[in-house]
Amino acid sequence: MKHISTWQWLGFAGLIPFITLSLLAFNHSVLSPEHTLLGFISYSAIILSFMAGTLWGKAVVLSPDDNIAKLLIVSNVIALGCWIALLTPFELSALILLFSGYLYLLFVEFKAKQLSNSASYMTLRTILTSVVALCHAVVMLSLYQ
């Protein structure tokens, strides 16, 4: 049996709020629709900001060049997008912004090959981002129920 690293199980554990709140978006017996959306959007913004922030840690250990500067700027732009998502009164706009941020961040990590330590990391990131994107789509659909 293969050993699961701490970073791997923490990544999967981080999906629990996304999946739970996605399911609750269609069942209002536990939380009101407003609280479900607030919980989902705020958790999503926090996690996406955290993930964007990891670009900083990865970028600063690499040799400085223009690509590193671009990664640092991308990290800040994504974090600002998260902040905007928290401020907008339009839930659909916030969800689309966050959804796009996750996909863009994954794209940036694939493109900046020097960031990925291993194929297993990028595989995990792809799985996690796919589940998170699906959860965002589910919550978006719940807005029209």
Side-chain angles (χ1 to χ4, degrees), residues 7 47-59 62 67 70-71 74-75 78 100-130:
W7 60 271
I47 296 301
L48 182 55
S49 288
F50 169 77
M51 294 305 301
T54 65
L55 288 179
W56 274 74
K58 292 174 182 178
L62 300 172
N67 288 333
K70 289 176 189 173
L71 289 173
V74 164
S75 174
I78 291 173
S100 302
Y102 281 101
L103 296 181
Y104 182 63
L105 181 59
L106 183 64
F107 169 77
V108 166
E109 285 191 296
F110 265 109
K111 203 156 162 51
K113 297 211 182 297
Q114 71 268 32
L115 290 180
S116 59
N117 317 15
S118 66
S120 62
Y121 173 77
M122 290 311 296
T123 299
L124 179 70
R125 285 284 292 113
T126 302
I127 292 167
L128 296 177
T129 299
S130 298

Side-chain angles (χ1 to χ4, degrees), residues 57-111:
K58 292 174 182 178
V60 296
V61 298
L62 300 172
S63 59
D65 64 15
D66 287 342
N67 288 333
I68 300 311
K70 289 176 189 173
L71 289 173
L72 297 174
I73 291 167
V74 164
S75 174
N76 281 7
V77 169
I78 291 173
L80 286 172
C82 293
W83 180 62
I84 291 167
L86 289 172
L87 293 178
T88 183
F90 307 107
E91 291 93 356
L92 183 59
S93 297
L95 290 165
I96 291 170
L97 186 59
L98 293 166
F99 175 90
S100 302
Y102 281 101
L103 296 181
Y104 182 63
L105 181 59
L106 183 64
F107 169 77
V108 166
E109 285 191 296
F110 265 109
K111 203 156 162 51

Side-chain angles (χ1 to χ4, degrees), residues 30-41:
V30 177
L31 289 175
S32 69
E34 296 81 21
H35 284 106
T36 303
L37 278 171
L38 176 62
F40 188 91
I41 290 169

